[in-house]
Amino acid sequence: MTAASKHTRLNGRFTVNLSILFSELPLLERPAAAAAAGFTAAELWWPFGENPTPSQAELDELRKAFTDAGVQLTGLNFLDDLTKGARGTVSVPAEKDRFRENIAVTAGLAESLGTKALNALYGNRVDGVDPAEQDALALENLVLAAKAAHEIGAVLLIEALNKPESPDYPLVTAAAAVEVVDKVNAATGLGNAKFLCDLYHLAMNGEDLAAVIDTHADKFGHVQIADNPGRNEPGTGGLDFEDLFTRLTAAGYQGRIGLEYRPAKGVSADSFEWLPREHRAAN
């Protein structure tokens, strides 16, 4: 499949997620590996595990890995604790202090690397906690995150995940995520909260991807892709990326497209045949 080669307007728009791709390598080696594969832009989930406030030395090492490789960090998650299956910390009462401690750290790292998109995963529902209480806390935290993002000229991303893989995550439709986006923007007046449209997650939920693009493209702050089923590279599943890319362009989406998939054969460098090398370097 060479969908990208048929749509030259996508040239320079791709960013590779180094938390899922090149994960066969230590984190600090991944930016150089991405560069060797032809990419000049990358994104990360929160790279320090459960630690919301890594040391200055750890932050400096990560910055150096990106700057030495000549790779721009285009997107970064706030504290997400994905290793525990938590799917974010924004709405979780027990994580309130840790999330808020992390806001300045994430924004500071992003600012130092020119990162303009910060993703705040909503967090799972917690047994014994009123969902309304969680939603109120989430709004408070997202307002703080949006303001911190605004101070560095960045957008705050709100993402829908898929129900089969994240059964306790409440935002499992595009409409649910966009509703949160609108609430944050109404609360801050900044307009910098945006929808992270992950086409894989929405496909897993059975959503009509064409309808999502046509309805919500004006709220998109970022798009991520993986084929479905399998969460592997385009061409390994049933999604029509040629059509999806065409629709994104027609809808006026001009942002980046994050490659957030697992390599089907287990080797990241071998998973980019669908994307001609001349399309990998970011503008």
Side-chain angles (χ1 to χ4, degrees), residues 32-50:
F39 293 98
T40 58
E43 59 190 24
L44 284 173
W45 303 336
W46 178 243
F48 299 104
E50 300 178 20

Side-chain angles (χ1 to χ4, degrees), residues 218-234:
D218 63 324
K219 302 287 180 71
F220 289 3
H222 187 41
V223 171
Q224 291 176 329
I225 64 169
D227 216 334
N228 181 53
R231 201 175 186 176
N232 303 128
E233 60 265 30

Side-chain angles (χ1 to χ4, degrees), residues 36-75:
F39 293 98
T40 58
E43 59 190 24
L44 284 173
W45 303 336
W46 178 243
F48 299 104
E50 300 178 20
N51 185 4
T53 54
S55 69
Q56 190 62 49
E58 291 174 297
L59 293 167
D60 288 344
E61 284 182 335
L62 186 62
R63 290 189 189 95
K64 187 174 187 299
F66 277 90
T67 56
D68 285 356
V71 173
Q72 173 70 50
L73 183 66
T74 56

